[in-house]
């Protein structure tokens, strides 16, 4: 995959597009209705804290590559076993995001096209990106970042201009009677907890000091964008109506019309989702591929990419039978049984173990 170094700006563009991911189309926590902005704000703040946690985990251990960090904590054998689990986790979540993309395209724009065609073309592009390497994807993200936010700016601009937004729809600003924090795990694991994949990417930054000083801005910026889009959806559709749609942003934008000329702006959401979806899946795929290539060094990286791409394509059909099942697994089961262990428990365990080992090594006069 020919991974070299990436700049802080490239990392910020990657992280921002990654966090927007499926959220930009699915809406974010709209089941909270008028309290969505409050839930999303809390999740974004938690996301910033998670960013610093993941960055600190690498910083205190000398910015090692992810497989070396695991070996520092768990030893060579157990470290490789956990690396394999993380690689499978990254590939599985990447497959779920790909499935989001396939369902979105087939249910909103191309009703007659077979799922496998979109999945096959997408996997081919992702495998090609992985072959070029992280640096190439990072350079591409600089352009995609600008293009994506031009699309978002157009959506926001015409939302205000068309007069379809109503202030009463977002009131009351806070409704304590319906405030429900029982799904807090879901709120913070998607999308912010998924930043755990950047434990693989952070070591390749050419200036780690800038990561601590500037990287968190990408998380905050993404949070502001997601909060703004969610509030625009609610202002157009109303909180209760918006919570009923699978793709509320598309439905909201369908209502935008200006002077009888500007309409069908929902196509902009398709372009935006294609971009952020491609970046997100590519990051998960590259991270998973790197882990597998380290575990099986005798295999060529291109061969590993092809095999994993084939598995991702097949997995696109295995992970769920239909959209309701896909959403149930992704929003109810995955956060608790996969995200929590891989995003919180294992990183915290790594921090504790390396901290204890560091104290022992200092007491023995050994550098760590």
């Amino acid at each position: 995959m020919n991974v070299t170094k990436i700049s802080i700006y490239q990392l910020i563009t990657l992280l921002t597009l990654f966090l927007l991911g499926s959220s930009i189309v699915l809406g974010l926590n709209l089941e909270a209705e008028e309290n969505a902005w409050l839930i999303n704000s809390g999740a974004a703040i938690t996301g910033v804290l998670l960013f610093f946690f993941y960055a600190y985990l690498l910083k205190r251990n000398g910015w090692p590559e992810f497989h070396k960090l695991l070996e520092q904590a768990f030893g060579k054998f157990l470290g490789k076993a956990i690396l394999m689990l993380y690689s499978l986790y990254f590939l599985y979540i990447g497959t779920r995001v790909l499935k989001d993309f396939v369902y979105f395209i087939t249910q909103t724009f191309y009703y007659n096209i077979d799922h496998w065609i979109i999945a096959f073309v997408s996997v081919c592009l992702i495998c090609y990106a992985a072959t070029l390497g992280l640096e190439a994807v990072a350079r591409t993200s600089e352009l995609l970042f600008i293009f994506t936010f031009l699309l978002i700016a157009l959506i926001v601009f015409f939302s205000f201009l068309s007069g379809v937004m109503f202030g009463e729809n977002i009131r009351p600003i806070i409704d304590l009677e319906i405030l429900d924090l029982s799904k807090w795990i879901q709120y913070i694991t998607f999308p912010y907890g998924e930043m755990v994949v950047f434990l693989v990417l952070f070591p390749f930054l050419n200036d780690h000091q800038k990561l601590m000083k500037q990287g968190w801005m990408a998380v905050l910026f993404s949070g502001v964008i997601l909060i703004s889009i969610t509030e625009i959806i609610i202002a157009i559709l109303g909180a209760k109506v918006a919570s009923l749609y699978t793709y509320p942003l598309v439905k909201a934008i369908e209502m935008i019309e200006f002077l009888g000329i500007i309409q069908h702006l929902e196509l902009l959401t398709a372009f935006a989702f294609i971009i952020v979806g491609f970046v997100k899946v590519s990051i998960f795929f590259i991270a998973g591929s790197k882990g597998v290539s380290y575990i099986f060094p005798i295999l060529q990286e291109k061969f590993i990419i092809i095999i994993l791409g084939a598995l991702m394509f097949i997995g696109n059909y295995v992970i769920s039978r239909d959209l309701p099942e896909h959403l149930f697994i992704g929003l109810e089961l995955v956060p608790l049984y996969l995200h929590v262990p891989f995003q919180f428990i294992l990183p915290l365990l790594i921090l504790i173990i390396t901290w204890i080992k560091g104290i022992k090594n200092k007491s023995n006069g050994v550098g760590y």
Side-chain angles (χ1 to χ4, degrees), residues 175-191:
D175 190 344
L176 296 179
E177 293 183 0
I178 63 171
L179 183 61
D180 182 11
L181 299 178
S182 62
K183 293 186 177 181
W184 185 248
I185 290 177
Q186 175 187 318
Y187 298 153
I188 61 176
T189 55
F190 171 71

Side-chain angles (χ1 to χ4, degrees), residues 57-83:
L57 184 59
L58 291 168
K59 179 183 178 181
R60 78 169 309 278
N61 290 289
W63 299 102
E65 292 186 33
F66 187 53
H67 66 271
K68 293 181 180 178
L69 176 66
L70 293 176
E71 289 182 0
Q72 282 182 219
F74 302 106
K76 192 167 185 179
F77 178 77
L78 185 57
K80 282 190 175 182
I82 295 176
L83 177 62

Side-chain angles (χ1 to χ4, degrees), residues 168-305:
E168 56 268 24
N169 285 343
I170 61 175
R171 293 194 291 267
I173 296 177
I174 299 178
D175 190 344
L176 296 179
E177 293 183 0
I178 63 171
L179 183 61
D180 182 11
L181 299 178
S182 62
K183 293 186 177 181
W184 185 248
I185 290 177
Q186 175 187 318
Y187 298 153
I188 61 176
T189 55
F190 171 71
Y192 299 105
E194 292 174 335
M195 282 190 296
V196 69
V197 73
F198 279 80
L199 285 172
V200 180
L201 273 61
F202 286 161
F204 298 104
L205 189 65
N206 59 15
D207 189 341
H208 294 119
Q209 294 301 319
K210 289 183 178 180
L211 175 66
M212 303 298 290
K213 294 178 180 179
Q214 302 175 24
W216 63 273
M217 297 180 188
V219 184
L220 186 61
F221 185 49
S222 301
V224 171
I225 293 296
L226 291 174
I227 292 168
S228 300
I229 289 177
T230 302
E231 290 304 294
I232 287 174
I233 293 171
I234 292 175
I236 294 176
L237 298 178
K240 295 188 182 299
V241 174
S243 65
L244 299 176
Y245 288 101
T246 304
Y247 306 110
L249 179 59
V250 175
K251 187 61 181 178
I253 293 178
E254 283 179 355
M255 302 179 68
I256 296 176
E257 182 177 341
F258 183 66
L259 299 178
I261 301 173
I262 305 299
Q263 51 189 331
H264 297 298
L265 294 181
E266 62 270 16
L267 292 175
L268 297 181
T269 65
F271 291 132
F273 188 48
I274 288 172
I275 292 172
V276 296
F278 166 76
V279 171
K280 188 165 187 174
V281 179
S282 295
I283 288 174
F284 275 124
F285 189 84
I286 289 174
S289 300
K290 282 186 65 62
V292 174
S293 65
Y294 175 75
I295 296 170
F296 302 103
I298 61 173
L299 300 178
Q300 291 186 351
E301 290 183 347
K302 288 185 178 180
F303 176 75
I304 291 175
I305 289 171

Side-chain angles (χ1 to χ4, degrees), residues 23 26-27 57 62 120 134 152 154 162 165 179-180 188 192 197-198 201 234 258 272 276 326 329 332 338:
S23 304
L26 292 173
L57 184 59
F120 180 76
L134 176 60
I152 293 175
L154 285 175
S162 61
M165 297 173 61
L179 183 61
D180 182 11
I188 61 176
Y192 299 105
V197 73
F198 279 80
L201 273 61
I234 292 175
F258 183 66
V276 296
H326 175 69
I329 293 173
E332 301 295 334
L338 281 180

